[in-house]
Short mmCIF file of all heavy atoms in Angstrom, two decimals:
data_model
loop_
_atom_site.label_atom_id
_atom_site.label_comp_id
_atom_site.label_asym_id
_atom_site.label_seq_id
_atom_site.Cartn_x
_atom_site.Cartn_y
_atom_site.Cartn_z
N GLN P 315 -14.28 -18.28 -3.87
CA GLN P 315 -14.25 -16.99 -3.20
C GLN P 315 -13.71 -15.91 -4.14
O GLN P 315 -14.29 -14.83 -4.25
CB GLN P 315 -13.38 -17.06 -1.95
CG GLN P 315 -13.18 -15.71 -1.27
CD GLN P 315 -11.97 -15.70 -0.33
OE1 GLN P 315 -11.09 -16.54 -0.44
NE2 GLN P 315 -11.94 -14.77 0.59
N ILE P 316 -12.61 -16.21 -4.84
CA ILE P 316 -12.02 -15.24 -5.76
C ILE P 316 -12.99 -14.92 -6.90
O ILE P 316 -13.19 -13.76 -7.26
CB ILE P 316 -10.69 -15.78 -6.32
CG1 ILE P 316 -9.67 -15.98 -5.18
CG2 ILE P 316 -10.12 -14.82 -7.36
CD1 ILE P 316 -9.27 -14.72 -4.48
N LYS P 317 -13.62 -15.96 -7.46
CA LYS P 317 -14.56 -15.74 -8.56
C LYS P 317 -15.75 -14.90 -8.10
O LYS P 317 -16.24 -14.04 -8.85
CB LYS P 317 -15.04 -17.08 -9.11
CG LYS P 317 -13.97 -17.85 -9.87
CD LYS P 317 -14.53 -19.14 -10.44
CE LYS P 317 -13.50 -19.88 -11.28
NZ LYS P 317 -14.03 -21.15 -11.84
N SER P 318 -16.22 -15.14 -6.89
CA SER P 318 -17.34 -14.37 -6.36
C SER P 318 -16.95 -12.91 -6.18
O SER P 318 -17.74 -12.00 -6.48
CB SER P 318 -17.82 -14.97 -5.03
OG SER P 318 -18.86 -14.20 -4.48
N GLN P 319 -15.74 -12.67 -5.70
CA GLN P 319 -15.27 -11.29 -5.54
C GLN P 319 -15.16 -10.59 -6.89
O GLN P 319 -15.47 -9.40 -7.00
CB GLN P 319 -13.92 -11.29 -4.82
CG GLN P 319 -14.02 -11.65 -3.34
CD GLN P 319 -12.66 -11.75 -2.68
OE1 GLN P 319 -11.66 -11.98 -3.34
NE2 GLN P 319 -12.64 -11.59 -1.37
N ARG P 320 -14.74 -11.33 -7.92
CA ARG P 320 -14.68 -10.74 -9.26
C ARG P 320 -16.08 -10.35 -9.74
O ARG P 320 -16.29 -9.29 -10.34
CB ARG P 320 -14.06 -11.74 -10.25
CG ARG P 320 -12.62 -12.09 -9.95
CD ARG P 320 -11.73 -10.89 -10.19
NE ARG P 320 -10.35 -11.22 -9.91
CZ ARG P 320 -9.77 -11.03 -8.73
NH1 ARG P 320 -10.46 -10.51 -7.73
NH2 ARG P 320 -8.51 -11.35 -8.54
N ALA P 321 -17.05 -11.26 -9.49
CA ALA P 321 -18.43 -10.97 -9.89
C ALA P 321 -18.97 -9.74 -9.15
O ALA P 321 -19.66 -8.90 -9.74
CB ALA P 321 -19.31 -12.19 -9.62
N MET P 322 -18.64 -9.63 -7.85
CA MET P 322 -19.09 -8.48 -7.07
C MET P 322 -18.48 -7.19 -7.60
O MET P 322 -19.15 -6.14 -7.66
CB MET P 322 -18.72 -8.67 -5.60
CG MET P 322 -19.46 -9.81 -4.91
SD MET P 322 -21.22 -9.50 -4.77
CE MET P 322 -21.22 -8.10 -3.66
N GLN P 323 -17.21 -7.25 -8.02
CA GLN P 323 -16.58 -6.06 -8.59
C GLN P 323 -17.26 -5.63 -9.88
O GLN P 323 -17.48 -4.45 -10.11
CB GLN P 323 -15.10 -6.35 -8.87
CG GLN P 323 -14.21 -6.29 -7.64
CD GLN P 323 -12.77 -6.55 -8.02
OE1 GLN P 323 -12.38 -7.67 -8.30
NE2 GLN P 323 -11.99 -5.50 -8.02
N ALA P 324 -17.58 -6.62 -10.72
CA ALA P 324 -18.22 -6.31 -12.00
C ALA P 324 -19.60 -5.69 -11.80
O ALA P 324 -20.08 -4.93 -12.65
CB ALA P 324 -18.32 -7.57 -12.85
N LEU P 325 -20.24 -6.00 -10.68
CA LEU P 325 -21.60 -5.50 -10.41
C LEU P 325 -21.61 -4.14 -9.71
O LEU P 325 -22.69 -3.58 -9.49
CB LEU P 325 -22.38 -6.51 -9.56
CG LEU P 325 -22.73 -7.83 -10.23
CD1 LEU P 325 -23.41 -8.76 -9.23
CD2 LEU P 325 -23.64 -7.60 -11.43
N GLN P 326 -20.45 -3.61 -9.36
CA GLN P 326 -20.42 -2.38 -8.59
C GLN P 326 -21.12 -1.20 -9.30
O GLN P 326 -21.84 -0.45 -8.64
CB GLN P 326 -18.97 -2.00 -8.27
CG GLN P 326 -18.33 -2.82 -7.17
CD GLN P 326 -19.13 -2.77 -5.88
OE1 GLN P 326 -19.50 -1.71 -5.40
NE2 GLN P 326 -19.41 -3.94 -5.32
N PRO P 327 -20.97 -1.02 -10.62
CA PRO P 327 -21.70 0.08 -11.26
C PRO P 327 -23.21 -0.07 -11.12
O PRO P 327 -23.92 0.93 -10.89
CB PRO P 327 -21.25 -0.01 -12.73
CG PRO P 327 -19.92 -0.69 -12.67
CD PRO P 327 -20.02 -1.67 -11.55
N GLN P 328 -23.72 -1.30 -11.26
CA GLN P 328 -25.16 -1.52 -11.12
C GLN P 328 -25.61 -1.31 -9.67
O GLN P 328 -26.70 -0.79 -9.42
CB GLN P 328 -25.52 -2.94 -11.57
CG GLN P 328 -25.21 -3.19 -13.05
CD GLN P 328 -25.59 -4.59 -13.48
OE1 GLN P 328 -26.73 -5.01 -13.32
NE2 GLN P 328 -24.62 -5.32 -14.04
N VAL P 329 -24.79 -1.73 -8.72
CA VAL P 329 -25.12 -1.53 -7.31
C VAL P 329 -25.19 -0.04 -7.00
O VAL P 329 -26.10 0.43 -6.31
CB VAL P 329 -24.08 -2.23 -6.40
CG1 VAL P 329 -24.28 -1.83 -4.94
CG2 VAL P 329 -24.18 -3.75 -6.54
N LYS P 330 -24.23 0.70 -7.52
CA LYS P 330 -24.22 2.15 -7.28
C LYS P 330 -25.44 2.82 -7.89
O LYS P 330 -26.02 3.75 -7.30
CB LYS P 330 -22.94 2.75 -7.87
CG LYS P 330 -22.63 4.15 -7.37
CD LYS P 330 -21.25 4.58 -7.79
CE LYS P 330 -20.93 5.96 -7.22
NZ LYS P 330 -19.56 6.40 -7.61
N ALA P 331 -25.86 2.35 -9.07
CA ALA P 331 -27.05 2.91 -9.71
C ALA P 331 -28.30 2.64 -8.87
O ALA P 331 -29.17 3.50 -8.74
CB ALA P 331 -27.21 2.33 -11.11
N LEU P 332 -28.38 1.42 -8.29
CA LEU P 332 -29.52 1.09 -7.44
C LEU P 332 -29.52 1.95 -6.17
O LEU P 332 -30.58 2.36 -5.69
CB LEU P 332 -29.48 -0.39 -7.06
CG LEU P 332 -29.83 -1.39 -8.17
CD1 LEU P 332 -29.61 -2.82 -7.68
CD2 LEU P 332 -31.27 -1.20 -8.62
N LEU P 350 -30.48 -8.70 -7.82
CA LEU P 350 -29.34 -8.56 -8.74
C LEU P 350 -28.30 -9.63 -8.49
O LEU P 350 -27.79 -10.25 -9.43
CB LEU P 350 -28.72 -7.17 -8.56
CG LEU P 350 -27.45 -6.88 -9.38
CD1 LEU P 350 -27.75 -6.89 -10.87
CD2 LEU P 350 -26.85 -5.53 -8.97
N TYR P 351 -27.96 -9.88 -7.20
CA TYR P 351 -26.98 -10.91 -6.87
C TYR P 351 -27.47 -12.29 -7.31
O TYR P 351 -26.70 -13.12 -7.80
CB TYR P 351 -26.71 -10.92 -5.37
CG TYR P 351 -26.01 -9.66 -4.86
CD1 TYR P 351 -26.21 -9.21 -3.56
CD2 TYR P 351 -25.17 -8.93 -5.68
CE1 TYR P 351 -25.58 -8.07 -3.08
CE2 TYR P 351 -24.54 -7.79 -5.23
CZ TYR P 351 -24.75 -7.36 -3.93
OH TYR P 351 -24.13 -6.23 -3.48
N GLU P 354 -27.25 -12.56 -11.21
CA GLU P 354 -25.87 -12.63 -11.70
C GLU P 354 -25.06 -13.73 -11.01
O GLU P 354 -23.85 -13.85 -11.26
CB GLU P 354 -25.17 -11.28 -11.52
CG GLU P 354 -25.84 -10.13 -12.25
CD GLU P 354 -25.79 -10.29 -13.76
OE1 GLU P 354 -24.88 -11.00 -14.25
OE2 GLU P 354 -26.64 -9.70 -14.44
N LYS P 355 -25.69 -14.48 -10.10
CA LYS P 355 -25.03 -15.59 -9.38
C LYS P 355 -23.80 -15.12 -8.61
O LYS P 355 -22.72 -15.73 -8.66
CB LYS P 355 -24.65 -16.71 -10.35
CG LYS P 355 -25.84 -17.33 -11.06
CD LYS P 355 -25.43 -18.43 -12.02
CE LYS P 355 -26.64 -19.04 -12.71
NZ LYS P 355 -26.26 -20.11 -13.67
N ALA P 356 -23.97 -14.00 -7.91
CA ALA P 356 -22.90 -13.47 -7.06
C ALA P 356 -23.34 -13.58 -5.60
O ALA P 356 -24.49 -13.31 -5.27
CB ALA P 356 -22.61 -12.01 -7.41
N ASN P 357 -22.41 -13.99 -4.74
CA ASN P 357 -22.73 -14.18 -3.33
C ASN P 357 -21.82 -13.30 -2.48
O ASN P 357 -20.61 -13.56 -2.39
CB ASN P 357 -22.55 -15.65 -2.93
CG ASN P 357 -23.04 -15.94 -1.52
OD1 ASN P 357 -23.39 -15.03 -0.77
ND2 ASN P 357 -23.06 -17.20 -1.15
N LYS P 458 -5.08 -6.12 -4.81
CA LYS P 458 -5.40 -6.77 -6.08
C LYS P 458 -6.83 -6.50 -6.52
O LYS P 458 -7.11 -6.41 -7.71
CB LYS P 458 -5.16 -8.28 -5.96
CG LYS P 458 -3.71 -8.68 -5.79
CD LYS P 458 -2.90 -8.39 -7.04
CE LYS P 458 -1.47 -8.88 -6.90
NZ LYS P 458 -0.66 -8.60 -8.10
N THR P 459 -7.76 -6.43 -5.56
CA THR P 459 -9.17 -6.30 -5.91
C THR P 459 -9.69 -4.88 -5.78
O THR P 459 -10.72 -4.55 -6.35
CB THR P 459 -10.03 -7.22 -5.03
OG1 THR P 459 -9.86 -6.86 -3.64
CG2 THR P 459 -9.61 -8.68 -5.20
N GLY P 460 -9.00 -4.04 -5.01
CA GLY P 460 -9.45 -2.66 -4.82
C GLY P 460 -10.46 -2.53 -3.69
O GLY P 460 -11.03 -3.51 -3.22
N TRP P 461 -10.68 -1.30 -3.27
CA TRP P 461 -11.66 -1.02 -2.22
C TRP P 461 -13.06 -1.11 -2.79
O TRP P 461 -13.32 -0.68 -3.91
CB TRP P 461 -11.43 0.37 -1.63
CG TRP P 461 -10.24 0.44 -0.73
CD1 TRP P 461 -8.98 0.83 -1.08
CD2 TRP P 461 -10.18 0.11 0.65
NE1 TRP P 461 -8.14 0.77 0.00
CE2 TRP P 461 -8.85 0.33 1.08
CE3 TRP P 461 -11.11 -0.33 1.57
CZ2 TRP P 461 -8.45 0.11 2.38
CZ3 TRP P 461 -10.73 -0.55 2.87
CH2 TRP P 461 -9.40 -0.33 3.27
N ALA P 462 -13.97 -1.69 -2.01
CA ALA P 462 -15.36 -1.82 -2.45
C ALA P 462 -16.04 -0.45 -2.48
O ALA P 462 -15.72 0.43 -1.69
CB ALA P 462 -16.11 -2.77 -1.52
N GLU P 463 -17.00 -0.29 -3.41
CA GLU P 463 -17.76 0.94 -3.49
C GLU P 463 -18.81 1.01 -2.38
O GLU P 463 -19.12 2.08 -1.88
CB GLU P 463 -18.44 1.06 -4.86
CG GLU P 463 -17.47 1.20 -6.02
CD GLU P 463 -16.79 2.55 -6.03
OE1 GLU P 463 -17.32 3.48 -5.41
OE2 GLU P 463 -15.70 2.66 -6.65
N ASP P 464 -19.37 -0.16 -2.03
CA ASP P 464 -20.40 -0.19 -1.00
C ASP P 464 -19.81 0.13 0.36
O ASP P 464 -18.81 -0.47 0.77
CB ASP P 464 -21.05 -1.59 -0.97
CG ASP P 464 -22.18 -1.66 0.04
OD1 ASP P 464 -23.19 -0.96 -0.14
OD2 ASP P 464 -22.05 -2.41 1.03
N GLN P 467 -19.37 -2.93 2.75
CA GLN P 467 -18.28 -3.82 2.37
C GLN P 467 -16.92 -3.17 2.63
O GLN P 467 -15.96 -3.85 3.01
CB GLN P 467 -18.42 -4.20 0.89
CG GLN P 467 -19.62 -5.06 0.59
CD GLN P 467 -19.68 -5.49 -0.86
OE1 GLN P 467 -18.73 -5.32 -1.61
NE2 GLN P 467 -20.81 -6.03 -1.26
N PRO P 516 -7.16 -12.77 -12.77
CA PRO P 516 -6.88 -11.36 -12.50
C PRO P 516 -8.15 -10.55 -12.35
O PRO P 516 -9.22 -10.94 -12.83
CB PRO P 516 -6.08 -10.91 -13.73
CG PRO P 516 -6.50 -11.86 -14.81
CD PRO P 516 -6.77 -13.17 -14.13
N PRO P 517 -8.08 -9.40 -11.64
CA PRO P 517 -9.26 -8.55 -11.48
C PRO P 517 -9.74 -8.03 -12.82
O PRO P 517 -8.96 -7.90 -13.77
CB PRO P 517 -8.75 -7.40 -10.60
CG PRO P 517 -7.50 -7.91 -9.96
CD PRO P 517 -6.91 -8.87 -10.94
N PRO P 518 -11.04 -7.74 -12.96
CA PRO P 518 -11.55 -7.17 -14.21
C PRO P 518 -10.93 -5.82 -14.46
O PRO P 518 -10.64 -5.09 -13.52
CB PRO P 518 -13.07 -7.07 -13.98
CG PRO P 518 -13.22 -7.04 -12.49
CD PRO P 518 -12.10 -7.87 -11.94
N PRO P 519 -10.71 -5.46 -15.73
CA PRO P 519 -10.11 -4.15 -16.02
C PRO P 519 -11.02 -3.03 -15.56
O PRO P 519 -12.23 -3.08 -15.74
CB PRO P 519 -9.97 -4.16 -17.56
CG PRO P 519 -10.96 -5.19 -18.02
CD PRO P 519 -11.02 -6.22 -16.94
N THR P 520 -10.42 -2.03 -14.95
CA THR P 520 -11.19 -0.89 -14.45
C THR P 520 -11.22 0.20 -15.51
O THR P 520 -10.30 0.33 -16.33
CB THR P 520 -10.57 -0.32 -13.17
OG1 THR P 520 -9.20 0.00 -13.43
CG2 THR P 520 -10.64 -1.35 -12.05
N VAL P 521 -12.27 0.99 -15.49
CA VAL P 521 -12.40 2.08 -16.45
C VAL P 521 -11.49 3.22 -16.02
O VAL P 521 -11.60 3.73 -14.91
CB VAL P 521 -13.86 2.57 -16.52
CG1 VAL P 521 -13.98 3.73 -17.51
CG2 VAL P 521 -14.77 1.42 -16.94
#
Side-chain angles (χ1 to χ4, degrees):
Q315 174 199 19
I316 297 297
K317 290 182 176 179
S318 177
Q319 288 175 336
R320 296 292 180 268
M322 293 295 294
Q323 281 182 286
L325 292 176
Q326 285 304 310
Q328 298 181 56
V329 170
K330 195 170 183 180
L332 287 174
L350 176 65
Y351 293 151
E354 300 295 336
K355 298 179 180 179
N357 188 352
K458 293 292 184 180
T459 60
W461 286 95
E463 294 290 339
D464 183 65
Q467 293 183 12
T520 56
V521 179

